[in-house]
Amino acid sequence: MADYSPMMKQYFEVKKEHPNSILFFRLGDFYEMFFNDAKTVSQELDLTLTGRDCGQGERAPMCGIPFHSAEGYITKLLAKGYRVTICDQVEDPKSAKGLVKREIVRVITPGTVLEGSMLDEARNNYICSMYYCPAGVGLCFADVSTGELHAGQMEAGGHDFTRELENRLTRYSPREILINPQFTDLTAVGNFIRERLQSSLECLDEEIFALNPAKAAVERQFNGKPLAELGLEDKPLTIMALGALLDYLSRTQITGLERITEVELETDSAYMALDLSTMRNLELIETMRNKERKGSLLWVLDRTKTAMGKRLIRAWLERPLLSPAKITLRLNAVEELVGDQLLLDELVEQLTGIHDLERIMTRVVYGSANGRELRALCAALQKLPGLKRVLERCQSTLLGDLNFQIDSLEDVAQRIDRAIDENPPFTIREGKLIKKGYSPELDEIRSDMSGGQALIASVEARERERTGIPKLKVGFNKVFGYYIEVTNSYKDQVPQDYIRKQTLTGGERYITPELKELENRVLGAHDRSIELEGKLFEEIRRSVAQELNRIQQSAKAVASLDVLASFAVVSIKNDYSRPVVNVSGKLYLKDGRHPVVEALLHESPFVPNDVDLDMNDTRVAVITGPNMAGKSTYMRQIAIIAIMAQIGCFVPAAVAEIGIVDGIYTRVGASDDLSAGQSTFMIEMSEVAEILRNATSQSLIIFDEIGRGTSTFDGMSIARAVLEYVQDPKLLGAKTLFATHYHELTEMESLLSGVRNFNIAVKKRGDDITFLRRIVRGGADDSFGIEVAKLAGVPDKVIRRAKQVLAELESTGGEEVSRRAAFRLQEEPVQLTIEGTDGEVLQKLRTLDVNALTPIQCMNTLFELCNLLKD
Ligand SMILES: Nc1ncnc2c1ncn2[C@@H]1O[C@H](COP(=O)(O)OP(=O)(O)O)[C@@H](O)[C@H]1O
Ligand SMILES: [Mg+2]
């Protein structure tokens, strides 16, 4: 067998360093992929698969992409779960002797992307590292594109360990997760990561987490700061997770990790517990159905002006606070801004146009920022003094603190402004990057260059005169450089000293020694100026990189300010009011509204409702009412208002008192878990089980029609048992909103303490009902299933028949408990009178539990029945 070509040998050398990633191998202006990588990529990205001689009989499969458009392709590959290794030419091919030297410059994985163009500006891109052992888990989350790093540790053994771990992961939703081999023992968490978070999982060798090297790596990263000062001395698991993360990052980024300068320690007790289903059910970040931003709470609250603010408002929403003091600081700031429209307007104006300082700084630090990015940085920094001037006028503590944290950074802005051209080119090697007057040396080279150009320009006029050839021209092309062109009709007037270089159809091109000399001067100066500009640019970039800490701190403060301003803007626009936040355990709202439903309603106004829950007589509200009455909306709005209050925003209510809620737990409708292969009922019950295990007396629970997935009596029994459990202070005693279609449960009010009945009022006139959307005391007396079906447009014939069946049922059975018996009693006579399809329809109706259907399901079923009758 023939040997591989030298280049292919080089390829294999490189490839074996990261065998599980797709290798982008730089050949001239292309990144080429070979063998399986080529096959995979051509398939995934729909590129042509070609081949290349590799020294073997057969050609190597190959596919390629132009290097300058690589980012788009990489983004797509990452989204499909691949990792990409970039191998560049590290010497100039022109000066290379033999094979060009090539090296891996970076491995790009989903969690280690730095390029703004490959990231969503409105969210952080976290990579997580976890070290698990039977004692617990150490974990950390980093966003390398912004330099953020959070770390923490959790003890195992607690009954809710798994759940808490999942909640933590949910709060950051990392794109990529590194684990140690033993972590795979936590099968449930592994499944959660794969199925729910859909993050890419990478299991690293145990020794990468080893404690001593990890300690050293962490100290190195934070400039020799002792572990104790970082707050890590008694957190070995955290250190191990961090050590592995740093190791991984340095191996993938190759260039280093200067961007990460501090670590934020995190304890779970700082934030409200919000699990993934609750975040989805309440549609905090995106809608349940289409996963869209529009229709989510974030969509209503986010009026931020900067990318940093956009990321932070999302983070705040995912992590509502528990400390009334901290919440009050935010509320005070929002109140001040709400109270002074002028101040707020100016603040918003100053925030507008501040570019993404965090991500630009990442590129500055890693030496990949270009002139335009430095100009963007400069423009952003130039806004800071104005911002500070506005903040000077503020009274509230938090706004004052933020002002203190923002460095006006005028020196850095000036440094950039003085040096970098206002309209710099895209790459460093195009010239016109550095302003005139910045470097005398550069100015001299440039004047030399323009002097030469002027002299060349004067050659044309002079030579025309000397030779008497009127159309003689001086031109330039890449192959011959400067030349003199003469048309054929004047060929014989060309002087002796012209040297012919090229013959064209209409004329000849010549050079002269003088022209060549001028050319050398111009081109030489051009090369020198490009080189010097590059050097100066890098100097400036490096000096800006030195200011990382000042800029980062200011960027963070700007982000907070942006979010607070956004809260104020939204609060004014939507008429929100300041909640009282305390530890009373109460949940009191007068005229509460659902912020999102309210924003989406156009025709009718949103009907506000009250709520008054406490730790005593009204812990649990049992809510009944027909489908579509507004039960789910009502319960969600209460939870959402609690969240809004605890992130420090005003709330859609006339009056609000929120006793801090330590966690919100919801079980709402059939969710999107069918793909996981469990039955709806099974999922429902496992979610209920988890809620009962994890909620505390300080939590808020929402049960939206639990027990639907099974037969009436089973469902009712489970619902009742759950209700008994949550209301009992000895067992749980959590504030609970309990919507149910089992009207039997309204009995509980007289049997259990702390339970109160509510219903959502409807007005009935004849067959027609109107939803009043008002919550009132007492249980609903009717479920109005047939009326709702009518409202939904089910044909009259079916409605009439349904009423007939209902009447028969009621006349025989009456009492709810004997529903099933009633059906059975009816069986005989009905079957005697109706046969064929009519009998089939009846049979279907008999087994139908109207209460357990959604309006749409009702409608579909009725259509089906109608069609049967028509046949
Ligand atoms: N307070 C309200 N004011 C105005 N419209 C409301 C209100 N509550 C609910 N709605 C409207 O009624 C629809 C159905 O409400 P929903 O809460 O889903 O009812 P249920 O859970 O009782 O079936 C909502 O989509 C919303 O448009
Ligand atoms: Mg509902």
Side-chain angles (χ1 to χ4, degrees):
M1 202 207 261
D3 218 3
Y4 279 110
S5 66
M7 194 213 69
M8 268 299 150
K9 283 190 187 146
Q10 188 188 34
Y11 173 85
F12 285 121
E13 251 339 271
V14 175
K15 175 74 192 170
K16 78 171 187 241
E17 283 186 48
H18 295 275
N20 298 325
S21 125
I22 289 173
L23 179 58
F24 275 36
F25 194 71
R26 180 76 175 264
L27 287 181
D29 284 343
F30 281 79
Y31 282 120
E32 302 288 1
M33 283 134 272
F34 297 104
F35 303 102
N36 282 339
D37 285 357
K39 288 184 197 160
T40 312
V41 172
S42 69
Q43 211 161 45
E44 293 283 8
L45 302 184
D46 220 1
L47 297 173
T48 328
L49 189 65
T50 58
R52 185 185 176 102
D53 272 332
C54 57
Q56 302 276 352
E58 276 176 47
R59 286 156 65 84
M62 173 175 97
C63 91
I65 52 165
F67 85 96
H68 54 79
S69 54
E71 287 187 3
Y73 293 100
I74 297 172
T75 311
K76 286 187 197 142
L77 288 172
L78 292 181
K80 287 170 186 278
Y82 296 99
R83 327 147 87 14
V84 175
T85 302
I86 309 284
C87 174
D88 269 335
Q89 295 171 171
V90 292
E91 61 179 348
D92 192 342
K94 273 185 248 149
S95 52
K97 295 189 184 63
L99 201 56
V100 181
K101 215 166 129 203
R102 292 186 174 80
E103 268 173 19
I104 294 177
V105 293
R106 230 178 112 193
V107 182
I108 308 179
T109 67
T112 60
V113 179
L114 297 174
E115 290 71 11
S117 63
M118 294 165 62
L119 291 167
D120 178 353
E121 68 156 27
R123 59 177 300 184
N124 279 108
N125 192 52
Y126 289 111
I127 179 168
C128 163
S129 163
M130 293 192 272
Y131 181 81
Y132 169 73
C133 68
V137 62
L139 70 179
C140 54
F141 300 88
D143 181 342
V144 283
S145 71
T146 64
E148 233 173 275
L149 175 63
H150 306 262
Q153 185 164 319
M154 288 167 58
E155 314 303 321
H159 62 94
D160 42 11
F161 170 67
T162 311
R163 170 79 162 206
E164 265 173 31
L165 187 54
E166 289 176 2
N167 284 355
R168 280 246 195 145
L169 289 168
T170 303
R171 276 210 289 273
Y172 292 93
S173 31
R175 290 268 313 268
E176 185 174 1
I177 299 179
L178 314 173
I179 53 171
N180 64 323
Q182 204 175 357
F183 193 92
T184 45
D185 291 353
L186 298 174
T187 349
V189 184
N191 290 340
F192 176 83
I193 291 171
R194 269 184 295 268
E195 282 153 23
R196 305 297 297 265
L197 291 180
Q198 300 183 336
S199 332
S200 102
L201 254 186
E202 184 82 3
C203 187
L204 304 178
D205 291 341
E206 189 71 29
E207 58 265 24
I208 293 179
F209 293 85
L211 184 58
N212 285 330
K215 274 184 182 163
V218 171
E219 285 186 351
R220 221 178 309 123
Q221 179 67 32
F222 301 105
N223 294 326
K225 239 192 213 169
L227 293 172
E229 221 171 286
L230 295 165
L232 289 171
E233 79 280 27
D234 52 354
K235 299 197 171 57
L237 301 181
T238 312
I239 296 173
M240 290 157 90
L242 258 173
L245 178 72
L246 294 173
D247 178 75
Y248 184 80
L249 290 179
S250 68
R251 273 185 299 123
T252 51
Q253 302 296 329
I254 317 292
T255 37
L257 285 165
E258 302 90 322
R259 188 67 178 90
I260 296 173
T261 53
E262 55 183 359
V263 51
E264 238 171 86
L265 281 193
E266 193 146 284
T267 47
D268 241 0
S269 51
Y271 304 118
M272 180 194 279
L274 280 176
D275 56 26
L276 193 57
S277 348
T278 298
M279 302 223 312
R280 289 194 177 162
N281 287 333
L282 297 178
E283 308 193 298
L284 297 187
I285 306 295
E286 58 189 18
T287 60
M288 269 214 266
R289 199 180 294 175
N290 302 323
K291 308 248 171 281
E292 278 167 4
R293 183 183 158 87
K294 178 166 182 188
S296 68
L297 182 59
L298 183 60
W299 168 72
V300 173
L301 296 186
D302 183 4
R303 293 287 177 277
T304 56
K305 294 293 175 190
T306 70
M308 299 161 282
K310 283 206 170 8
R311 289 192 293 272
L312 189 67
I313 194 172
R314 185 185 165 122
W316 280 14
L317 203 48
E318 286 168 333
R319 290 164 234 166
L321 302 174
L322 294 183
S323 147
K326 283 191 182 147
I327 297 168
T328 303
L329 280 177
R330 290 188 189 172
L331 286 172
N332 287 346
V334 174
E335 180 165 24
E336 181 169 17
L337 298 175
V338 167
D340 189 342
Q341 181 86 51
L342 198 68
L343 181 77
L344 178 60
D345 287 348
E346 284 176 46
L347 188 61
V348 169
E349 192 189 314
Q350 291 301 326
L351 286 164
T352 310
I354 298 189
H355 302 275
D356 196 340
L357 291 170
E358 293 180 325
R359 282 187 176 157
I360 296 178
M361 275 315 282
T362 300
R363 296 179 51 84
V364 169
V365 168
Y366 287 121
S368 51
N370 62 20
R372 293 184 191 186
E373 283 163 310
L374 280 195
R375 266 323 312 189
L377 181 68
C378 174
L381 298 183
Q382 283 168 337
K383 291 228 141 202
L384 298 181
L387 196 60
K388 283 179 74 70
R389 272 196 300 280
V390 179
L391 288 175
E392 296 298 341
R393 293 169 17 214
C394 297
Q395 308 293 320
S396 61
T397 315
L398 183 54
L399 294 177
D401 284 353
L402 291 174
N403 184 25
F404 183 73
Q405 282 163 33
I406 296 175
D407 187 322
S408 60
L409 289 159
E410 276 146 319
D411 54 324
V412 183
Q414 272 166 19
R415 207 180 306 161
I416 301 173
D417 189 39
R418 233 163 44 79
I420 311 287
D421 194 271
E422 316 278 344
N423 278 308
F426 198 72
T427 68
I428 302 181
R429 304 214 57 84
E430 284 170 55
K432 298 217 179 66
L433 188 59
I434 303 292
K435 270 189 183 169
K436 191 166 173 234
Y438 178 73
S439 151
E441 190 188 349
L442 180 63
D443 289 349
E444 200 181 304
I445 300 174
R446 277 177 175 163
S447 81
D448 205 20
M449 190 164 78
S450 53
Q453 277 163 337
L455 282 177
I456 290 172
S458 71
V459 165
E460 189 172 277
R462 198 194 63 210
E463 290 299 297
R464 277 184 189 173
E465 195 154 316
R466 175 162 82 101
T467 59
I469 304 172
K471 286 198 178 141
L472 176 147
K473 268 194 322 207
V474 172
F476 178 83
N477 75 19
K478 278 213 171 111
V479 187
F480 302 112
Y482 288 97
Y483 55 78
I484 295 173
E485 190 174 310
V486 175
T487 53
N488 284 337
S489 36
Y490 295 99
K491 229 161 53 180
D492 40 357
Q493 292 183 39
V494 166
Q496 283 292 310
D497 53 338
Y498 280 24
I499 305 157
R500 203 173 65 219
K501 261 294 179 198
Q502 191 185 15
T503 304
L504 310 165
T505 35
E508 302 277 352
R509 283 178 179 172
Y510 306 88
I511 55 168
T512 67
E514 182 206 12
L515 204 53
K516 280 300 114 178
E517 198 180 307
L518 286 173
E519 177 184 307
N520 284 341
R521 181 171 152 195
V522 169
L523 295 185
H526 181 255
D527 284 351
R528 274 185 293 138
S529 79
I530 294 279
E531 194 176 319
L532 183 56
E533 284 201 62
K535 211 178 95 205
L536 292 171
F537 181 78
E538 270 169 34
E539 253 171 44
I540 296 156
R541 192 168 57 192
R542 225 172 303 127
S543 87
V544 174
Q546 298 289 315
E547 310 294 346
L548 175 63
N549 286 341
R550 285 165 76 199
I551 297 177
Q552 178 73 357
Q553 186 186 330
S554 304
K556 270 184 161 171
V558 167
S560 296
L561 207 56
D562 197 10
V563 178
L564 293 168
S566 176
F567 284 173
V569 167
V570 174
S571 298
I572 293 174
K573 176 169 172 280
N574 300 333
D575 197 19
Y576 296 164
S577 60
R578 178 177 176 145
V580 173
V581 174
N582 55 30
V583 289
S584 62
K586 280 168 72 86
L587 214 49
Y588 172 75
L589 298 177
K590 172 137 187 38
D591 288 341
R593 285 123 52 204
H594 191 300
V596 181
V597 176
E598 166 179 76
L600 291 171
L601 276 186
H602 296 300
E603 278 118 55
S604 51
F606 189 91
V607 180
N609 271 310
D610 302 345
V611 67
D612 194 358
L613 297 180
D614 55 33
M615 305 289 288
N616 307 310
D617 285 350
T618 322
R619 280 189 297 278
V620 179
V622 171
I623 303 163
T624 42
N627 275 322
M628 290 301 286
K631 300 182 294 297
S632 303
T633 309
Y634 174 69
M635 296 192 297
R636 284 179 188 177
Q637 87 194 21
I638 295 166
I640 287 176
I641 287 175
I643 290 174
M644 286 172 72
Q646 290 185 229
I647 61 176
C649 185
F650 281 18
V651 298
V655 181
E657 178 180 348
I658 310 289
I660 295 288
V661 169
D662 71 355
I664 295 182
Y665 300 88
T666 59
R667 167 61 228 177
V668 180
S671 65
D672 50 329
D673 277 328
L674 293 170
S675 57
Q678 286 176 300
S679 80
T680 326
F681 181 65
M682 185 66 190
I683 295 160
E684 178 172 359
M685 285 306 118
S686 58
E687 286 194 18
V688 169
E690 279 187 58
I691 294 175
L692 297 183
R693 265 205 309 273
N694 293 296
T696 75
S697 61
Q698 306 296 321
S699 309
L700 173 65
I701 305 179
I702 291 181
F703 284 123
D704 198 345
E705 315 207 14
I706 57 168
R708 277 204 146 172
T710 185
S711 74
T712 312
F713 283 129
D714 274 2
M716 207 187 319
S717 319
I718 290 169
R720 175 174 173 160
V722 169
L723 189 61
E724 286 172 356
Y725 186 93
V726 295
Q727 69 76 39
D728 188 343
K730 286 201 269 332
L731 295 170
L732 183 52
K735 285 186 283 296
T736 306
L737 298 158
F738 197 106
T740 183
H741 53 291
Y742 301 122
H743 290 187
E744 294 82 346
L745 290 182
T746 52
E747 296 292 311
M748 295 295 107
E749 182 180 79
S750 53
L751 300 177
L752 302 171
S753 75
V755 175
R756 291 278 178 278
N757 289 331
F758 295 89
N759 75 89
I760 305 210
V762 289
K763 200 163 74 190
K764 181 169 178 173
R765 195 184 296 134
D767 268 358
D768 295 315
I769 52 167
T770 316
F771 295 121
L772 298 177
R773 313 257 179 244
R774 268 311 221 180
I775 187 118
V776 291
R777 275 289 269 129
D781 36 2
D782 198 338
S783 57
F784 299 105
I786 295 175
E787 286 79 1
V788 174
K790 184 173 176 211
L791 204 65
V794 173
D796 280 347
K797 189 175 174 200
V798 179
I799 297 287
R800 272 200 304 279
R801 179 59 190 147
K803 274 199 273 187
Q804 215 176 338
V805 176
L806 182 67
E808 277 168 25
L809 289 177
E810 281 174 351
S811 68
T812 41
E815 274 313 300
E816 309 274 351
V817 192
S818 52
R819 270 197 225 178
R820 192 189 266 175
F823 257 105
R824 216 172 285 137
L825 274 174
Q826 286 290 311
E827 235 157 39
E828 295 286 302
V830 174
Q831 251 175 14
L832 283 177
T833 51
I834 301 172
E835 292 166 2
T837 40
D838 288 11
E840 196 184 325
V841 169
L842 194 63
Q843 184 64 32
K844 288 214 157 112
L845 276 172
R846 213 176 262 143
T847 49
L848 199 68
D849 180 2
V850 179
N851 283 323
L853 296 179
T854 64
I856 295 294
Q857 284 169 332
C858 256
M859 206 160 92
N860 288 340
T861 317
L862 284 168
F863 268 125
E864 199 181 295
L865 297 179
C866 285
N867 285 338
L868 271 175
L869 289 174
K870 277 189 202 133
D871 286 348

